Amino acid sequence: MVRSDILSETLNNPVRFEEIAVSHLRAVGWQRQGYIPLGIIVNDPANTKGIGYDQWLDAKVFFEVQAKILSDTLTVGSDYMPVLPLNHLGDILIPTMFGAEIHVPDEMAASLQDQGPTPLAVMENIQAVDNLTVPDMQAGMMPDFAEIVKLWRQWAPEWIDIVTPFPMGAFSLATALRRSEFLLDLADDKERCQKLLSMCAEIQVEVELYLRELVGPYKNYNLSNFGVCTKGRRMGDDSIILLSPGMISEFAIGHIETVAKQLGPTTLHFCTLADRRSNHVFAPLAESEHIPMVSSQFAFEFYQDNLESLRGQLAIESFYGQAYKYVCDKFGSFGNWAYDFVPRFKNESGLILYFEVPSIEKGKALWDVWQQAHQI
């Protein structure tokens, strides 16, 4: 039996959740509110102690992991919506539907950003797209995933949203199916590349709509895998950082828009590091009305340096991954950074931040700092 005592009804605060949802939507819409929303996710490493990927399809094990994370996170009381995300399933679902085998890590990382097993390439050459068809909803690991989604929805209280596995953007999906050779194919056979990208966008929509039927009706907004409220779907498209701005416009934007037109405006994620910012990606994304927000670890610094060009065009979700450690190292503490950053930008908009801490006590202390920074 799954533990029913982890998610106490005392954590259900619909008034507070509505307040958070409004603050997120106002930020995405560039409406000033005198405040920068911040989610503090409590991910105690003890939650995953002794758990390995030999259990990664065990619905009960990972439900209880995510339930404990959510319980601790809501106890802190930050700007985080009540979600149970299936993050441990990673982004392998659609590749397996095309026939991909998977590589399963030996150990489970105690991180909410852990994205599960890695899909292996399916296509030996781009000509293989000629015989490729869009899979049906019983292909690959979909039956396994669907069963887990249904069990989580059954076990979770109604006030908590189940968030389906984190989807890849069409370009990253195509790259996963073909691997890095796809970048060469873009020059050698554009027509087949566009055909593969179109198929990837099509299957993304079909899979998302199928899984949404299993998690139940959505509200008038969507919740991301990281507790952020938007009008559409958060989607990862890391591989676009390998493209020039012109190639992003040619090979990625149209397919992102195909998905967004059916699932709602896209929050597009791509990874950034302290020493690799990929700033060339922002401009072509900002040109699309279907991409209102970019999500990237260090994009908060791009925001502070390029606010005028972003304003009203492209909101930013940021500060996860190594960003917290980065500002602590650079400024001496989170507080020193917050006391500098918040007064300068709290009366702007277009910014949502979140990050992880290992304990409730740490989360509460940093949440207090965040509130104090808004009083300066």
Side-chain angles (χ1 to χ4, degrees), residues 17 86 126-127 129 149 205 214-215 222 224 239 276 284 370:
F17 298 151
L86 289 132
I126 193 61
Q127 289 76 21
V129 75
V149 170
V205 172
L214 302 181
V215 299
N222 288 345
S224 81
S239 296
R276 192 205 71 202
W370 194 248

Side-chain angles (χ1 to χ4, degrees), residues 236-302:
D237 218 348
D238 284 299
S239 296
I240 66 172
I241 69 172
L242 302 173
L243 302 177
S244 68
M247 293 182 75
I248 292 172
S249 297
E250 182 177 0
F251 292 105
I253 298 296
H255 302 289
I256 295 169
E257 291 180 337
T258 294
V259 176
K261 288 173 184 177
Q262 298 183 71
L263 300 180
T266 296
T267 295
L268 195 80
H269 161 81
F270 60 91
C271 282
T272 49
L273 303 172
D275 58 354
R276 192 205 71 202
R277 300 305 179 89
S278 301
N279 289 343
H280 67 286
V281 177
F282 289 92
L285 298 184
E287 294 175 0
S288 173
E289 63 179 349
H290 297 282
I291 308 172
M293 185 158 69
V294 158
S295 176
S296 200
Q297 292 90 328
F298 287 88
F300 70 96
E301 286 202 331
F302 186 86

Side-chain angles (χ1 to χ4, degrees), residues 42-93:
V42 181
N43 190 15
D44 185 341
N47 293 334
T48 52
K49 186 176 181 179
I51 296 175
Y53 270 105
D54 57 334
Q55 300 165 283
W56 76 285
L57 291 178
D58 188 322
K60 175 180 178 293
V61 167
F62 283 94
F63 178 87
E64 292 181 352
V65 167
Q66 290 292 353
K68 185 62 167 63
I69 290 171
L70 179 59
S71 177
D72 291 350
T73 297
L74 295 181
T75 299
V76 170
S78 68
D79 301 312
Y80 186 89
M81 295 292 286
V83 297
L84 288 173
L86 289 132
N87 290 348
H88 72 285
L89 296 178
D91 51 19
I92 67 162
L93 173 57

Side-chain angles (χ1 to χ4, degrees), residues 27 35 48 56 83 105 137 140 174 198 331 351 359 373:
Y35 181 74
T48 52
W56 76 285
V83 297
M137 292 301 107
S198 294
F331 288 84
L351 186 63
S359 69

Side-chain angles (χ1 to χ4, degrees), residues 5-283:
D5 61 324
I6 302 175
L7 292 165
S8 169
E9 185 62 29
T10 61
L11 296 170
N12 182 13
N13 188 342
V15 174
R16 172 63 177 144
F17 298 151
E18 180 63 22
E19 179 184 83
I20 296 168
V22 169
S23 73
H24 286 170
L25 293 172
R26 287 179 65 86
V28 177
W30 287 89
Q31 300 175 53
R32 289 187 171 92
Q33 52 190 336
Y35 181 74
I36 303 170
L38 174 70
I40 299 177
I41 301 165
V42 181
N43 190 15
D44 185 341
N47 293 334
T48 52
K49 186 176 181 179
I51 296 175
Y53 270 105
D54 57 334
Q55 300 165 283
W56 76 285
L57 291 178
D58 188 322
K60 175 180 178 293
V61 167
F62 283 94
F63 178 87
E64 292 181 352
V65 167
Q66 290 292 353
K68 185 62 167 63
I69 290 171
L70 179 59
S71 177
D72 291 350
T73 297
L74 295 181
T75 299
V76 170
S78 68
D79 301 312
Y80 186 89
M81 295 292 286
V83 297
L84 288 173
L86 289 132
N87 290 348
H88 72 285
L89 296 178
D91 51 19
I92 67 162
L93 173 57
I94 297 179
T96 70
M97 295 173 73
F98 280 105
E101 297 182 357
I102 60 173
H103 168 69
V104 181
D106 294 328
E107 297 182 359
M108 168 70 175
S111 169
L112 193 62
Q113 277 74 39
D114 184 81
Q115 286 295 296
T118 303
L120 304 179
V122 173
M123 302 170 63
E124 293 186 1
N125 53 60
I126 193 61
Q127 289 76 21
V129 75
D130 294 341
N131 298 315
L132 207 61
T133 58
V134 175
D136 64 35
M137 292 301 107
Q138 297 303 311
M141 299 195 72
M142 177 59 89
D144 301 285
F145 278 42
E147 181 61 23
I148 294 172
V149 170
K150 287 187 285 187
L151 287 171
W152 279 37
R153 182 63 280 171
Q154 176 185 326
W155 294 334
E158 290 186 3
W159 54 274
I160 295 173
D161 280 80
I162 305 300
V163 183
T164 54
F166 188 58
M168 282 192 285
F171 190 84
S172 293
L173 176 55
T175 305
L177 296 175
R178 177 77 178 101
R179 282 297 179 233
S180 59
E181 287 84 352
F182 186 62
L183 298 172
L184 300 176
D185 296 334
L186 296 176
D188 296 337
D189 199 335
K190 289 185 179 182
E191 183 176 349
R192 284 192 172 96
C193 288
Q194 291 288 12
K195 180 180 179 181
L196 176 59
L197 289 163
S198 294
M199 292 177 67
C200 289
E202 181 182 347
I203 189 64
Q204 282 179 309
V205 172
E206 292 185 10
V207 165
E208 183 68 16
L209 292 177
Y210 178 76
L211 292 175
R212 285 187 183 186
E213 288 292 322
L214 302 181
V215 299
Y218 273 45
K219 306 178 181 70
N220 62 346
Y221 50 74
N222 288 345
L223 301 180
S224 81
N225 302 66
F226 302 101
V228 174
C229 176
T230 66
K231 287 289 187 181
R233 189 65 164 108
R234 186 182 191 271
M235 186 167 64
D237 218 348
D238 284 299
S239 296
I240 66 172
I241 69 172
L242 302 173
L243 302 177
S244 68
M247 293 182 75
I248 292 172
S249 297
E250 182 177 0
F251 292 105
I253 298 296
H255 302 289
I256 295 169
E257 291 180 337
T258 294
V259 176
K261 288 173 184 177
Q262 298 183 71
L263 300 180
T266 296
T267 295
L268 195 80
H269 161 81
F270 60 91
C271 282
T272 49
L273 303 172
D275 58 354
R276 192 205 71 202
R277 300 305 179 89
S278 301
N279 289 343
H280 67 286
V281 177
F282 289 92

